[in-house]
Amino acid sequence: MEIKGKAIAFGDDINTDVIIPSKYLTTLDPDELAKHAMEGLDPKFYEKAREGVIIVAGKNFGCGSSREHAPIALRHAGVRCVVAKSFARIFYRNAINIGLPVVECPSILEKTSDGDELLVNLAEGEILNLTKNLRLQTSKLPSFILEIISAGGLVEHLKRRLEKDGKL
């Protein structure tokens, strides 16, 4: 599974309150949440992300509260993948559960600038920075996680399995 997009870079400790401010948690509409994703750090993020982007970030991306709204807002804003030095565990799990690919790459911020064109190969654990002609290693995602992401999230993955087994 390959994902291509332009990089938008952020630093360390991007928490879920920054990803989607709590004042917008009165709605469950993913398209409305998307309009406010990352707005405190980049008021034009939604406009940039709509074309399909890859967030690159430092350590501890998604720290803070365990709200599922954060990865939902990113995915519906147009984020195709998040590559970070490290993730808060609950954000990582929530992202996979809603079908947003997330991978760790310790050198991503040092090797990537805003606007660089990236190609992320989730199965091979490889990131190509097409702008700088660099190849970066990342963690390979296990096949069961790739299946969940390909299905669009855990719920869709389970529906497909139940249909295949004749139980739905």
Side-chain angles (χ1 to χ4, degrees):
M1 171 182 258
E2 290 186 336
I3 300 166
K4 190 174 184 180
K6 288 192 179 195
I8 296 181
F10 294 102
D12 294 335
D13 302 311
I14 302 299
N15 68 51
T16 53
D17 290 321
V18 171
I19 295 169
I20 184 67
S22 61
K23 66 183 177 182
Y24 300 112
L25 300 181
T26 57
T27 183
L28 295 176
D29 179 3
D31 295 322
E32 187 61 31
L33 292 170
K35 294 175 187 174
H36 303 288
M38 308 300 272
E39 72 180 15
L41 293 177
D42 183 353
K44 303 240 184 233
F45 179 81
Y46 178 67
E47 294 170 30
K48 295 175 189 175
R50 290 176 57 189
E51 299 170 14
V53 297
I54 296 173
I55 288 179
V56 298
K59 63 181 174 60
N60 206 22
F61 188 88
C63 58
S65 64
S66 63
R67 63 181 68 144
E68 203 171 59
H69 299 75
I72 289 171
L74 294 177
R75 182 170 162 230
H76 284 269
V79 174
R80 294 180 178 158
C81 182
V82 181
V83 182
K85 288 185 178 187
S86 65
F87 291 90
R89 191 168 101 175
I90 193 71
F91 178 88
Y92 185 89
R93 294 178 79 175
N94 282 338
I96 297 296
N97 286 344
I98 63 101
L100 176 65
V102 286
V103 292
E104 292 185 343
C105 180
S107 62
I108 193 66
L109 277 183
E110 292 80 19
K111 307 284 184 176
T112 307
S113 303
D114 267 346
D116 284 359
E117 191 76 25
L118 302 179
L119 180 64
V120 179
N121 187 319
L122 299 173
E124 297 299 320
E126 183 175 81
I127 300 170
L128 299 177
N129 184 324
L130 302 172
T131 304
K132 295 181 177 168
N133 197 26
L134 293 171
R135 183 181 310 269
L136 305 169
Q137 280 304 124
T138 184
S139 52
K140 291 181 183 182
L141 293 182
S143 60
F144 75 94
I145 290 180
L146 292 173
E147 289 174 16
I148 292 169
I149 291 169
S150 293
L154 185 59
V155 171
E156 288 303 315
H157 174 67
L158 291 174
K159 283 182 188 176
R160 288 181 186 181
R161 288 191 62 182
L162 290 171
E163 287 173 357
K164 181 181 171 189
D165 294 342
K167 296 179 181 177
L168 187 66

